[in-house]
Amino acid sequence: MPSITVVIPALNDAEMLARCLDDLAAQLRPADEIVVVDNGSTDDTAAVARAGGARVITETTRGIWPATSAGYDAATGDIIARLDADSRPPVDWLLHIEAEFVDSPDISVLTGPGIFYDGNTIIAGLGQTLYISGYFWSMEIWLGHPPIFGSNFAMRRDVWDRMRGRVHRGLRAIHDDLDLAIHLDPDQVVRYDERLTVGISARPFSTWRGFGRRLGWAYTTLRMHLPEESPWRRRAARRRWEEEHAQDLPGAVA
């Protein structure tokens, strides 16, 4: 069976991280390794991580992408799974990930949605409808394949080995998951599974400013890849690839 490393970037998230690590400790299929990336915390984040059995590394460049990419670099597992410090994975989360990768060797990345566990009803509802559902719907149209949701996904190690030099890992004000998805090659398959869920916090959407900041990151991420990664060019490139590799695709007749 493949080994699994869980990567969690964290900045002053000691309390939430403790709960996340408790949830990982309760997994039906335990993680082989947990890497917490301390992104300059001034609270007990690092101590909480070590107490929860995680290996702590430090990334001094602030931002989710710099911290997360450092965690991917440090991971030793065959599969790299990703959570946020305030994520709450159900007990079968890693078991589900392992089963899908073992049963479907063609999958490169597996992702699923998040479900808000806090915040008032209006904020959680808007976040679920406009942000989560809207993200998967709109970005699949843009990308030509399901997008990656950074709070809940897993990828094979070779995906990161291929992508680490392409992505904009040093930038702060972009979406790391979208940047990664944009750089995937046509042969790297992303599977979206709505049954693979984790609890996520509504904290980023507690203010209009926070909500607007994340929309701004999405705009910046897409804009910086134009015109090379426009939807029509992406589809044309995928069609060319499929034509060139038609005999190698599943179901092809020899």
Side-chain angles (χ1 to χ4, degrees):
M1 289 296 180
S3 57
I4 303 177
T5 296
V6 179
V7 172
I8 307 172
L11 172 62
N12 293 329
D13 268 323
E15 184 176 351
M16 291 285 196
L17 179 62
R19 172 61 188 267
C20 181
L21 293 174
D22 284 345
D23 289 342
L24 286 175
Q27 293 291 300
L28 297 173
R29 191 280 188 211
D32 297 284
E33 177 185 48
I34 301 172
V35 175
V36 170
V37 185
D38 184 358
N39 201 205
S41 300
T42 56
D43 67 355
D44 294 330
T45 290
V48 166
R50 293 187 180 95
R55 176 160 63 96
V56 178
I57 66 171
T58 300
E59 174 53 54
T60 57
T61 302
R62 286 287 182 91
I64 296 176
W65 218 175
T68 303
S69 60
Y72 297 159
D73 287 343
T76 62
D78 302 313
I79 295 171
I80 302 173
R82 163 84 155 81
L83 291 172
D84 288 325
D86 54 14
S87 297
R88 294 185 180 176
V91 295
D92 65 343
W93 185 65
L94 287 175
L95 186 66
H96 190 152
I97 288 171
E98 181 181 65
E100 291 219 38
F101 277 108
V102 170
D103 292 345
S104 302
D106 59 310
I107 296 176
S108 299
V109 182
L110 176 67
T111 192
I115 299 175
F116 291 106
Y117 60 75
D118 61 5
N120 65 52
T121 303
I122 295 176
I123 290 175
L126 288 173
Q128 203 76 52
T129 302
L130 298 179
Y131 190 77
I132 304 299
S133 298
Y135 171 70
F136 280 108
W137 174 79
S138 62
M139 289 302 98
E140 182 162 5
I141 293 174
W142 185 289
L143 296 170
H145 60 74
I148 298 169
F149 182 48
S151 300
N152 178 24
F153 86 95
M155 61 182 168
R156 297 189 191 275
R157 162 164 292 283
D158 70 331
V159 173
W160 182 243
D161 289 342
R162 230 195 277 187
M163 295 300 112
R164 59 162 37 107
R166 301 186 193 174
V167 296
H168 299 84
R169 53 185 291 165
L171 297 184
R172 179 176 183 175
I174 65 172
H175 284 295
D176 60 304
D177 46 7
L178 183 54
D179 189 45
L180 177 61
I182 287 172
H183 286 92
L184 293 177
D185 290 323
D187 65 316
Q188 293 176 309
V189 176
V190 180
R191 173 179 290 179
Y192 170 76
D193 188 343
E194 64 180 8
R195 301 167 301 168
L196 183 73
T197 63
V198 299
I200 59 174
S201 175
R203 291 184 303 165
F205 310 99
S206 60
T207 65
W208 286 111
R209 181 181 179 184
F211 186 73
R213 180 168 60 247
R214 277 155 180 77
L215 291 179
W217 289 355
Y219 172 79
T220 300
T221 308
L222 294 173
R223 181 67 185 86
M224 67 189 296
H225 291 93
L226 292 176
E228 292 80 5
E229 295 294 342
S230 60
W232 48 92
R233 289 193 178 186
R234 291 182 62 85
R235 282 166 174 73
R238 184 169 290 273
R239 284 196 299 272
R240 288 195 300 272
W241 184 89
E242 290 175 349
E243 291 170 358
E244 293 169 0
H245 297 82
Q247 292 301 315
D248 301 324
L249 296 175
V253 179

